[in-house]
């Protein structure tokens, strides 16, 4: 008689799971919950990443031969040199230049440490993503946010929603659900973001789960090139169709009066849902055109651009309290890591993020068309990285978030590297 053993999930932890690398990757995003303010926000993870850098160096486990690391650090060094020149040329205050330089130095530590800890392992990269998901949930002020609908919507939109999806995906995978089934379930759940006012999270989750569910592993490099072009065409067409469908649904009142009024104000001049009413982007492009080479300096301040920004906001139907809003704002608006780097430090900052964007786009293709296709959680990381480059400011926590997304992107590319695949075949 044949006995069939059914595999059940286990909560036991193997000794290999408790390696130094795994523990640090999990704790780094979690430690971002704690911070202090000293001439800017200093995170507990900043201390941990610096300690890990020297610990890895002492153990002789620090390498700069990891794929992409040298190029990334070289471009970051170029950005840092431009920041120094920019601040000297613009006469930036000591406080602002110290914050700007510290941001880039710490970013370099995160890049070096996390890429060394991950070393192309998708499993270790996923562990960092789980830590990030738990961190985003734990940052929620339950007593305040859950008792206030508006506060909860804001909390969900700016992190908690992503954290819940990451933890849910991890739990479903742990309990043995098939990858395509997980993708389908998350695709079906993605509209919940719309009801909570998080349109960008809906778009990213819908695309991530859709790509993961309908992925097509392609072995031939030439075929992958042609299919990549078709993939991006379909992706663009899908986003365009999604905007049209969303426009029709939101106008029916399904998502409530607040969502309807916001949508109408942002698309009043025929602008798209994605790019409509992004006054910060328009102002930042003007600021970049004024000083394209070295920018306006770290934490660039100029009230002329603030005045233009508030005028554009008012034209887009947003309420502006001129007495308080103009008095409280002095930084040149730039709600984008790409545009923000160019505003502050000119072309070198933009070149850095364009290179990171090229890695993310390669990972997107690798995850959708490669032999080792991506899970929904990996696609979430790649698409969040792309989105943040265009539409998110480079705040304190971004120096850890974005490197985790970057590490997952690089791991996806490495997993689908033809040379590596051939080497693995030769070892079989």
């Amino acid at each position: 008689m044949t006995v069939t053993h059914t595999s059940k999930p286990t909560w036991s932890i193997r000794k290999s799971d408790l390696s130094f690398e795994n523990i640090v990757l999990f704790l780094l995003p979690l430690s971002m919950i704690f911070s202090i303010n000293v001439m800017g926000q200093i995170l507990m993870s900043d201390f941990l990443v610096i300690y890990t850098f020297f610990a890895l160096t002492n153990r002789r486990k620090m390498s700069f031969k990891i794929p992409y690391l040298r190029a990334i650090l070289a471009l970051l060094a170029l950005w840092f040199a431009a920041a120094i020149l920019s601040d000297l040329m613009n006469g930036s205050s000591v406080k602002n230049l110290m914050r700007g330089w510290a941001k880039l130095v710490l970013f370099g530590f995160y890049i070096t440490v996390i890429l060394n800890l991950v070393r192309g392992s998708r499993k270790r990269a996923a562990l960092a993503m789980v830590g990030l998901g738990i961190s985003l949930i734990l940052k929620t002020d339950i007593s305040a946010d859950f008792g206030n609908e508006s506060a909860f919507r804001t909390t969900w939109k700016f992190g908690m929603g992503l954290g819940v999806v990451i933890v849910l995906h991890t739990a479903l995978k742990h309990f043995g659900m098939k990858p395509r089934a997980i993708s389908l379930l998350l695709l079906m759940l993605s509209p919940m973001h719309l009801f909570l006012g998080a349109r960008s999270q809906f778009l990213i989750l819908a695309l991530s789960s859709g790509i993961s569910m309908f992925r097509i592993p392609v072995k031939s490099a030439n075929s992958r090139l042609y299919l990549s072009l078709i993939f991006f065409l379909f992706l663009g067409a899908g986003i365009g169709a999604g905007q049209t469908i969303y426009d029709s649904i939101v106008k029916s009142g399904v998502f409530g009066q607040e969502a309807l009024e916001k949508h109408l104000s942002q698309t009043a001049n025929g602008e798209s849902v994605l790019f409509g009413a992004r006054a910060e982007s328009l102002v930042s492009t003007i600021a970049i055109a004024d000083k394209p080479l070295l920018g306006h300096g770290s934490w660039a301040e100029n009230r002329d651009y603030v005045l233009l920004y508030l005028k554009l906001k008012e034209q887009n139907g947003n309420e502006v309290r001129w007495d308080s809003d103009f008095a409280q704002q002095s930084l040149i608006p730039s709600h984008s890591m790409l545009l923000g780097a160019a505003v502050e430090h000119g072309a070198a900052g933009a070149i850095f993020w364009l290179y990171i964007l090229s890695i993310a786009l390669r990972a997107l293709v690798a995850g959708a068309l490669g032999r080792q296709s991506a899970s929904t959680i990996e696609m979430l990381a790649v698409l969040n990285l792309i989105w943040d480059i265009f539409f998110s400011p480079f705040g304190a926590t971004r120096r850890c978030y974005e490197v985790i997304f970057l590490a997952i992107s690089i791991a996806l590319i490495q997993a689908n590297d033809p040379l590596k695949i051939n080497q693995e075949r030769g070892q079989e």
Side-chain angles (χ1 to χ4, degrees):
M1 182 176 68
T2 303
V3 179
T4 303
H5 297 278
T6 57
S7 60
K8 294 182 179 180
T10 174
W11 292 103
S12 62
I13 300 175
R14 295 172 298 180
K15 187 176 181 180
S16 60
D17 293 332
L18 295 176
S19 66
F20 175 77
E21 290 81 3
N22 286 353
I23 291 172
V24 173
L25 281 170
F26 183 70
L27 290 180
L28 262 177
L30 275 176
S31 59
M32 288 191 297
I33 298 172
F34 308 101
S35 65
I36 56 175
N37 284 312
V38 181
M39 292 184 68
Q41 193 175 16
I42 299 177
L43 309 174
M44 188 61 65
S45 60
D46 296 338
F47 297 105
L48 179 57
V49 79
I50 293 172
Y51 164 78
T52 305
F53 176 85
F54 289 106
L56 290 174
T57 303
N58 185 55
R59 296 182 182 191
R60 297 183 178 180
K61 289 187 176 182
M62 180 65 68
S63 172
F64 293 93
K65 295 181 180 180
I66 293 169
Y68 297 99
L69 180 57
R70 285 181 176 177
I72 292 171
L73 291 180
L75 290 175
L76 184 64
L78 178 63
W79 181 4
F80 185 71
I84 294 174
L85 287 174
S86 176
D87 288 325
L88 293 176
M89 294 291 291
N90 287 288
S92 301
S93 67
V94 173
K95 179 180 179 180
N96 284 350
L97 67 84
M98 288 293 289
R99 291 168 71 186
W101 299 358
K103 175 179 70 175
L104 297 182
V105 170
L106 286 170
F107 194 31
F109 273 109
Y110 279 99
I111 292 169
T112 306
V113 167
I114 291 178
L115 293 190
N116 265 278
L117 292 174
V118 172
R119 288 181 179 260
S121 168
R122 294 168 71 179
K123 184 178 180 180
R124 285 201 293 267
L127 185 62
M129 193 72 167
V130 174
L132 173 59
I134 296 173
S135 172
L136 291 170
I137 295 173
L138 292 180
K139 286 174 64 177
T140 305
D141 185 352
I142 296 177
S143 61
D145 294 352
F146 278 70
N148 184 309
E149 182 181 351
S150 178
F152 177 73
R153 283 171 169 263
T154 301
T155 300
W156 183 272
K157 178 179 179 180
F158 291 105
M160 184 184 176
L162 175 60
V164 168
V165 170
I166 293 171
V167 172
L168 176 61
H169 182 282
T170 304
L172 293 174
K173 183 179 179 182
H174 175 79
F175 284 104
M177 184 177 282
K178 300 296 183 182
R180 290 185 189 274
I182 296 176
S183 298
L184 176 59
L185 178 61
L186 292 178
L187 180 62
M188 294 170 63
L189 290 175
S190 61
M192 68 180 176
H193 289 307
L194 290 176
F195 287 98
L196 292 170
R199 295 178 303 180
S200 59
Q201 287 198 33
F202 160 73
L203 175 65
I204 293 171
L205 179 56
L207 288 175
S208 300
S209 51
I211 292 171
S212 299
M213 189 168 61
F214 297 109
R215 59 188 182 272
I216 306 173
V218 180
K219 296 180 181 180
S220 169
N222 290 331
S223 298
R224 192 184 302 177
L225 176 61
Y226 293 124
L227 285 173
S228 298
L229 298 175
I230 296 173
F231 168 73
F232 281 114
L233 287 174
F234 270 102
L235 187 63
I239 293 174
Q243 290 187 84
T244 302
I245 294 170
Y246 174 77
D247 180 75
S248 300
I249 295 175
V250 76
K251 286 180 179 177
S252 70
V254 170
F255 301 124
Q257 187 63 28
E258 182 180 345
L260 175 60
E261 291 177 357
K262 182 178 181 180
H263 177 76
L264 291 175
S265 67
Q266 292 184 342
T267 58
N269 298 321
E271 298 167 312
S272 70
V273 177
L274 280 177
F275 300 100
R278 295 191 181 274
E280 299 98 332
S281 299
L282 181 57
V283 173
S284 59
T285 53
I286 294 172
I288 292 167
D290 290 341
K291 290 188 176 182
L293 187 59
L294 290 175
H296 297 258
S298 299
W299 260 260
E301 297 177 297
N302 191 313
R303 289 194 177 275
D304 291 338
Y305 295 107
V306 175
L307 178 62
L308 176 59
Y309 167 63
L310 294 176
K311 287 180 178 178
L312 289 172
K313 277 189 68 176
E314 196 171 54
Q315 290 174 14
N316 288 327
N318 296 297
E319 182 182 358
V320 174
R321 296 181 177 89
W322 285 98
D323 291 340
S324 59
D325 291 349
F326 185 69
Q328 294 172 4
Q329 298 183 55
S330 59
L331 299 179
I332 299 175
S334 56
H335 206 268
S336 161
M337 294 193 297
L338 173 63
L339 297 179
V343 165
E344 291 190 350
H345 305 131
I351 290 171
F352 174 87
W353 285 114
L354 288 174
Y355 182 69
I356 301 297
L357 177 62
S358 72
I359 295 174
L361 292 175
R362 283 193 63 190
L364 184 61
V365 173
L369 303 175
R371 288 178 70 252
Q372 303 291 331
S373 51
S375 65
T376 298
I377 208 74
E378 289 173 320
M379 276 289 109
L380 267 176
V382 174
L383 288 172
N384 266 290
L385 178 56
I386 294 171
W387 179 273
D388 290 344
I389 288 172
F390 288 111
F391 301 122
S392 297
F394 191 46
T397 54
R398 295 288 170 189
R399 54 182 173 252
C400 184
Y401 289 8
E402 305 307 328
V403 181
I404 292 174
F405 298 156
L406 175 63
I408 291 174
S409 300
I410 293 174
L412 267 178
I413 295 171
Q414 286 187 264
N416 290 282
D417 182 359
L419 179 59
K420 183 178 180 181
I421 292 169
N422 291 332
Q423 290 173 345
E424 290 173 351
R425 283 178 177 173
Q427 294 171 358
E428 291 177 353

